[in-house]
Amino acid sequence: MTKGLKKALLAVGAVLALIIVLMVAIPFLFKDKIKTAVLDVVNEQLNAKVEIGDFGLNLFSNFPHATVSLYDAVISGTGAFEADTLLQAKSANVTIDLFSLFGDKYDISSINLDNIRLHAKVLADGQANWDIMKEDSSAQAEEPETESAFNLSLKKVAIKNSDVIYEDNTSKMKAILSKWNGNISGDFSAAETTLQIGSSIDEVSFVMDNIPYLNKVVIKADAGINADLENMKFTFAESHLQLNELKASVEGSFAMPDDESMDFDLKLNAPNTQFKEILSLIPAMYTADFKDIKTSGVASLDGYVKGTMKGESYPAFDMKVIVSNAMFQYPSLPKAVDNINLNIALQSKGGSLNNTVVDMSKFSFALGGNPFNGNLRVTTPMSDPNIKMHANGIIDLGMIKDVYPLETGTELNGKITADLTLATRMSDIEKERYEDVSASGTLNVNDMIYKSTEMPDVLIQKAGLEFTPRYVNLNSLDINIGKNDLSANGRLENFIAYVLKDQTIKGNLNIKSNYLNANDFLGESDTTETETAAADSTATASDSFIIPKNIDFALNASLKEIKYDKLTISNMAGSMSVKDGILKLNDVAANTLGGSCKVSGSYDTSNPEKPKVDFALNLSKVSFAETFKSVESIQKFAPIFESLLGSYSMNLNINTSLGESILQTLANLTGNGALQTSEVKVENVAALTALSSALKTDALNSFSAKDLNLPFSINEGKINTKPFSLNIGNGGALLLEGSTGLDQSINYKGTVTLPKALANNFIKDVPITIGGTFTSPKIGLDAKAIASEAVSSVAGEALGKITGSEEPVDLSEEKAKQIEKLRAEADNAATKLVEEAEKQAKALEEKAGSNPIAKAAAKAAGNKLVEEAKKQGEKLRNEAEEQTKKLE
């Protein structure tokens, strides 16, 4: 080997080694920078928020292919889709030929998607959440479009354990594909190729106009499709399709000749269809033991779609299902459902969907020897549904257990008897042309019992509906749910339009009940007090009971006993109305909280996101203790109720919007009212106990107040009280005003007029402040005002005693002696006056004892006495000097 060749080989080896090192190192050295750069570019280009948990770039393991991977990627919306997630992916990777990056065709060998959740949504106004590309403001509209130089070669796409949801609010349509696994392979870069598709979806549901056409159907598909990618035409070479147990194949073609049109020429073939396969499409029947079910009878299924779909024009279609003389029986059960006959067709000649005809010309079965049959035909479904239907027969619910495997603990009994006929156009009902409506018959339920482990027992003793063209008579309804009972009768209007077209049902109903526990229907559970408190504080407005807007009822209610939360209401009677999502009460009277009440107002859920309450309450002689125990808002706003014994009356006007929690709801509360009580006993209120301690008296620990009138208002999370007075006995009184907050903070000011029993009479009125919280109050006393009052009431009396005890000064003796004596006596008197004042001051303090208020007042009074004595002494000396000058 020559030295030159050796050097060349070493150089090549070094270059290869460097390339290998770079291929291993680059993904690690520059991963964060690449991730940041990708996110910056993507977020600049999209009207959406893109997040990536991790980013992977592998240049080595599949060389000359590179694998780019994204982990925990999320694309979330903005604007109208702020709270929505368009795409969420656990992982997604693309494998691309590195050398193709230097050419004009990108060679991608595979795209793999794992645990993808795609939620595509169209709002009622037509906005789509996937329309997230920003417009290029730099693009010139005048420039002619040039052919893109971008070319893509793709071999395979695989999807694993993924979910797809498509929701279109413009057509009230929703499709859900859950746990989708599959792949598609072919040469997507070729003008023509054969696509091999293998796919399985554990659950497929499709709902349109609230009608579930498919409900959690298992779908498997394997197909070879000849794809003319240049003309976007796809022809089924072979296909195998399975829906639950139903096996079929698809023949024909599907094409997209332009951006606005789709051409269909497809036929569904199921030549060997068995009744069991048809039965499997009924969700309730497709249970775990369905494979063992016995069936017989003739069945057929076929259909086609042919024509162009463009805009509001649709292709022609025809789907037919026929079942003749069929039966089914579960091997573990004693009886069968037999004489099953079904003939249903869904047809359209194409064009408008209004040309669709739904024709169920035959539907019948026999259950335990009781035949039931019916038919239905609907034409012009989009513009003005023309409906003809009939149902007649008896269903013995007690026999269901003999033909269908009910869950353990489930019991069903009773009979449903129907004989109904209807022939009408929807417009005739809407425009009240009842002479053109044919509607008659009855529907009765008797002694129906439903028991299960998941809910209280349901007993419908009797329910009877009588149909006429104009209205439906509810002749009777007697129902028990657990311990709850309800009976009703009345008249319902627009019932048919309500059932068939979700229009507003109107009615006048009389409702009676002996016992109704609302907690049974609001999801009350057996939880601890701590759990209940946590649930109460986090309950959201969306958890509130929302009143449907398509109900317009006038109600006369007579309810003997109602329970709501911890509140018991008895003998409720009055008129109510439900309309446009609003419940209104008009002077509804009831007994509650140990007294009585009347309520007028409304519960408004017309905006389901922000339910509102607006009520006027008149409470009469209700119990403080019962109120605190039963009403959570009182526990938050007025915890003092726990320490009050007696009854009260109150007028209260309140309104609020329901917030994210009970605390937010109360924070939004505004109102006003007045509370009156003839006598109330107050015991063990922390703030008053603390005040008693500060005053060295037990007068405020427990006392009775009479003729209390307490006006108040509620705003911004606080109850604000105007000045009110409490008589605390033996000449004492408490005058207060201030506020209590939702956090139980208190802020009051006022005056305590001390009872006569309070030690020493140095003070009568004590100015106070009460702050802190209800359970940890802080008492403030105005010492300056207390001392001022004590001085004015005591100092004058004490000074009078001092000066009154002195003999008057005689100034009538001879001049010289008089002058000397005058000065001496004035000085002695002044000195004695101060000494006596100091003695009296000391006595006052001793007399005050340990009472801090009296002691402070005595000390202030003593100081004032000494000060006044000094002034009086100086005055005596000055007067003596004036007399001296006159004598001289």
Side-chain angles (χ1 to χ4, degrees):
M1 182 180 293
T2 65
K3 289 184 178 179
L5 180 58
K6 187 175 182 179
K7 287 182 178 179
L9 290 175
L10 289 174
V12 170
V15 170
L16 289 175
L18 178 61
I19 291 173
I20 292 171
V21 170
L22 289 175
M23 289 172 67
V24 174
I26 284 174
F28 296 98
L29 295 175
F30 300 101
K31 184 174 77 170
D32 290 340
K33 291 185 178 181
I34 296 172
K35 174 183 172 182
T36 301
V38 170
L39 283 174
D40 289 344
V41 171
V42 169
N43 281 310
E44 285 178 5
Q45 298 296 321
L46 301 181
N47 287 314
K49 183 180 179 182
V50 180
E51 300 174 89
I52 299 175
D54 200 4
F55 171 84
L57 177 60
N58 190 321
L59 303 175
F60 191 72
S61 60
N62 295 312
F63 186 79
H65 291 80
T67 300
V68 180
S69 302
L70 301 179
Y71 301 96
D72 298 321
V74 176
I75 302 177
S76 51
T78 59
F81 301 100
E82 183 74 35
D84 294 334
T85 299
L86 170 61
L87 179 68
Q88 188 171 5
K90 181 180 179 182
S91 70
N93 64 67
V94 177
T95 301
I96 185 170
D97 187 339
L98 282 173
F99 295 116
S100 72
L101 297 175
F102 301 99
D104 59 358
K105 177 187 284 187
Y106 297 117
D107 184 3
I108 297 176
S109 60
S110 66
I111 297 175
N112 296 286
L113 307 174
D114 184 10
N115 276 275
I116 304 294
R117 188 181 188 277
L118 175 65
H119 189 170
K121 180 185 288 188
V122 181
L123 300 181
D125 60 5
Q127 291 187 76
N129 68 341
W130 63 83
D131 186 12
I132 57 177
M133 292 297 297
K134 291 182 178 178
E135 294 183 5
D136 187 357
S137 58
S138 64
Q140 299 295 323
E142 296 82 6
E143 290 185 8
E145 292 185 3
T146 59
E147 186 176 348
S148 172
F150 178 80
N151 288 291
L152 174 67
S153 174
L154 176 63
K155 301 294 190 299
K156 181 180 179 182
V157 177
I159 186 169
K160 179 181 179 183
N161 198 31
S162 297
D163 300 334
V164 176
I165 300 173
Y166 177 73
E167 191 173 359
D168 190 341
N169 291 323
T170 62
S171 58
K172 297 182 179 179
M173 180 178 71
K174 188 172 185 178
I176 302 173
L177 286 67
S178 297
K179 298 180 180 178
W180 183 5
N181 293 274
N183 59 73
I184 177 172
S185 61
D187 187 356
F188 288 88
S189 63
E192 294 188 17
T193 186
T194 297
L195 302 178
Q196 296 295 332
I197 298 174
S199 186
S200 68
I201 307 173
D202 285 3
E203 294 181 358
V204 177
S205 299
F206 179 76
V207 178
M208 190 168 186
D209 279 330
N210 297 318
I211 299 174
Y213 292 93
L214 295 175
N215 186 24
K216 297 183 178 180
V217 173
V218 179
I219 291 183
K220 296 179 182 180
D222 290 292
I225 300 176
N226 295 327
D228 180 354
L229 297 177
E230 203 167 81
N231 298 304
M232 293 302 289
K233 183 175 181 179
F234 304 90
T235 303
F236 285 86
E238 60 174 324
S239 67
H240 301 282
L241 178 65
Q242 182 172 342
L243 285 73
N244 287 348
E245 299 295 316
L246 177 65
K247 297 178 177 67
S249 64
V250 178
E251 295 179 356
S253 63
F254 163 74
M256 293 183 287
D258 53 54
D259 292 340
E260 298 179 353
S261 303
M262 288 186 286
D263 291 339
F264 294 88
D265 188 3
L266 298 173
K267 184 177 181 180
L268 179 69
N269 292 317
N272 300 314
T273 302
Q274 303 295 317
F275 173 63
K276 184 176 182 178
E277 297 172 355
I278 300 292
L279 197 64
S280 75
L281 296 180
I282 302 174
M285 299 299 300
Y286 198 59
T287 58
D289 52 356
F290 181 81
K291 62 182 182 299
D292 298 323
I293 198 170
K294 296 178 181 179
T295 63
S296 65
V298 178
S300 65
L301 169 67
D302 61 75
Y304 70 83
V305 180
K306 186 177 180 63
T308 300
M309 183 166 71
K310 184 175 183 179
E312 297 298 319
S313 180
Y314 293 83
F317 55 85
D318 187 352
M319 180 68 70
K320 294 179 180 177
V321 179
I322 299 175
V323 175
S324 300
N325 299 318
M327 60 77 67
F328 72 84
Q329 182 178 8
Y330 285 87
S332 59
L333 298 177
K335 295 182 180 179
V337 177
D338 51 18
N339 293 327
I340 301 172
N341 293 277
L342 175 66
N343 192 332
I344 183 170
L346 184 66
Q347 301 169 320
S348 173
K349 64 182 181 181
S352 170
L353 284 179
N354 202 45
N355 294 324
T356 302
V357 176
V358 179
D359 187 8
M360 185 172 66
S361 57
K362 181 182 292 185
F363 172 60
S364 64
F365 64 88
L367 175 60
N370 294 315
F372 192 95
N373 61 80
N375 55 68
L376 171 68
R377 181 178 175 84
V378 180
T379 59
T380 60
M382 308 305 291
S383 62
D384 184 13
N386 187 2
I387 304 165
K388 293 181 179 179
M389 62 85 65
H390 176 71
N392 178 266
I394 298 173
I395 298 178
D396 187 344
L397 299 175
M399 298 197 66
I400 298 293
K401 67 180 183 302
D402 295 331
V403 299
Y404 183 79
L406 298 175
E407 294 183 4
T408 302
T410 300
E411 179 182 337
L412 192 59
N413 267 304
K415 285 188 178 181
I416 298 175
T417 304
D419 186 4
L420 303 173
T421 300
L422 174 66
T424 182
R425 286 188 175 274
M426 189 61 66
S427 59
D428 292 334
I429 295 174
E430 293 172 345
K431 295 178 181 180
E432 299 184 356
R433 296 192 294 258
Y434 294 111
E435 66 277 7
D436 297 325
V437 177
S438 175
S440 61
T442 59
L443 177 65
N444 294 290
V445 179
N446 291 287
D447 299 324
M448 175 179 168
I449 299 174
Y450 176 71
K451 296 182 179 181
S452 77
T453 57
E454 297 180 354
M455 63 178 292
D457 297 348
V458 177
L459 167 62
I460 301 178
Q461 299 175 18
K462 183 169 56 174
L465 293 173
E466 180 184 356
F467 292 82
T468 71
R470 183 181 292 270
Y471 53 80
V472 175
N473 274 330
L474 177 63
N475 296 322
S476 62
L477 173 64
D478 294 303
I479 183 172
N480 292 76
I481 303 176
K483 296 180 180 179
N484 303 280
D485 68 90
L486 184 70
S487 63
N489 62 69
R491 175 177 292 185
L492 303 174
E493 299 181 16
N494 213 36
F495 182 85
I496 298 171
Y498 170 75
V499 173
L500 298 179
K501 213 171 180 182
D502 202 27
Q503 292 190 359
T504 299
I505 184 172
K506 301 178 182 180
N508 291 281
L509 297 174
N510 301 307
I511 299 174
K512 293 182 179 181
S513 174
N514 293 309
Y515 178 83
L516 198 59
N517 190 340
N519 300 312
D520 291 343
F521 308 100
L522 297 177
E524 184 187 58
S525 59
D526 296 328
T527 57
T528 64
E529 291 185 6
T530 302
E531 291 170 334
T532 301
D536 289 341
S537 64
T538 58
T540 64
S542 61
D543 296 328
S544 304
F545 175 68
I546 304 302
I547 301 170
K549 291 184 179 180
N550 60 346
I551 293 178
D552 182 357
F553 284 166
L555 307 172
N556 290 309
S558 177
L559 311 173
K560 286 189 176 181
E561 183 177 357
I562 302 173
K563 288 188 178 294
Y564 174 71
D565 197 15
K566 298 176 182 178
L567 189 65
T568 299
I569 304 170
S570 60
N571 299 321
M572 175 182 281
S575 60
M576 310 174 192
S577 66
V578 178
K579 186 177 182 181
D580 299 327
I582 303 172
L583 168 66
K584 292 185 178 180
L585 285 72
N586 182 25
D587 279 339
V588 175
N591 297 325
T592 188
L593 302 174
S596 62
C597 72
K598 277 192 175 182
V599 183
S600 295
S602 65
Y603 171 62
D604 185 348
T605 65
S606 55
N607 180 355
E609 299 298 321
K610 293 183 180 179
K612 295 185 294 185
V613 172
D614 188 353
F615 282 117
L617 296 90
N618 187 328
L619 304 175
S620 178
K621 296 181 180 180
V622 296
S623 164
F624 284 107
E626 284 294 321
T627 303
F628 180 82
K629 182 175 68 174
S630 305
V631 184
E632 183 182 5
S633 57
I634 293 295
Q635 297 170 13
K636 303 285 186 185
F637 258 139
I640 194 174
F641 272 48
E642 186 177 20
S643 303
L644 304 181
L645 301 177
S647 62
Y648 68 96
S649 298
M650 181 169 63
N651 295 316
L652 175 63
N653 299 295
I654 57 170
N655 66 79
T656 185
S657 57
L658 302 186
E660 293 295 323
S661 67
I662 184 65
L663 293 179
Q664 284 192 15
T665 298
L666 294 177
N668 296 333
L669 187 67
T670 60
N672 60 79
L675 182 150
Q676 303 94 23
T677 178
S678 57
E679 183 172 4
V680 59
K681 188 174 182 180
V682 183
E683 288 185 343
N684 301 321
V685 177
L688 298 181
T689 300
L691 181 58
S692 290
S693 178
L695 296 174
K696 296 296 181 182
T697 178
D698 59 1
L700 297 176
N701 288 337
S702 177
F703 62 89
S704 295
K706 294 185 177 182
D707 301 325
L708 172 65
N709 184 19
L710 176 58
F712 62 88
S713 62
I714 307 172
N715 196 27
E716 296 181 349
K718 291 183 178 180
I719 288 186
N720 304 290
T721 60
K722 296 180 180 179
F724 65 96
S725 179
L726 288 170
N727 296 319
I728 58 178
N730 199 20
L734 183 62
L735 180 65
L736 288 174
E737 64 177 309
S739 65
T740 300
L742 267 177
D743 56 359
Q744 297 199 356
S745 61
I746 51 179
N747 184 14
Y748 286 87
K749 64 179 181 178
T751 303
V752 178
T753 300
L754 298 176
K756 295 177 181 179
L758 188 60
N760 300 314
N761 265 339
F762 295 107
I763 184 169
K764 183 178 180 182
D765 296 318
V766 180
I768 61 169
T769 59
I770 306 176
T773 65
F774 189 80
T775 56
S776 182
K778 295 181 180 178
I779 306 300
L781 303 176
D782 192 341
K784 185 176 180 180
I786 294 171
S788 175
E789 182 182 355
V791 166
S792 63
S793 63
V794 178
E797 178 183 353
L799 272 174
K801 291 180 180 178
I802 296 172
T803 55
S805 65
E806 297 298 313
E807 295 179 0
V809 180
D810 185 3
L811 302 177
S812 61
E813 298 182 4
E814 56 181 282
K815 189 181 295 184
K817 291 181 178 179
Q818 284 181 347
I819 290 173
E820 182 180 355
K821 183 179 180 181
L822 186 64
R823 286 175 174 168
E825 288 185 352
D827 189 62
N828 288 336
T831 300
K832 186 176 181 181
L833 191 63
V834 173
E835 290 176 350
E836 185 63 26
E838 290 175 345
K839 181 180 178 181
Q840 289 290 337
K842 186 176 181 180
L844 287 174
E845 286 194 52
E846 291 176 352
K847 187 178 180 181
S850 61
N851 189 308
I853 304 299
K855 194 170 184 178
K859 186 172 183 179
N863 292 337
K864 184 68 174 177
L865 285 173
V866 174
E867 183 182 343
E868 290 296 323
K870 289 179 180 180
K871 289 181 181 179
Q872 290 291 339
E874 193 62 31
K875 184 178 180 182
L876 288 174
R877 291 188 179 97
N878 291 337
E879 288 178 353
E881 288 301 317
E882 289 179 4
Q883 292 294 335
T884 298
K885 290 178 182 179
K886 290 180 182 179
L887 289 174
E888 290 176 342

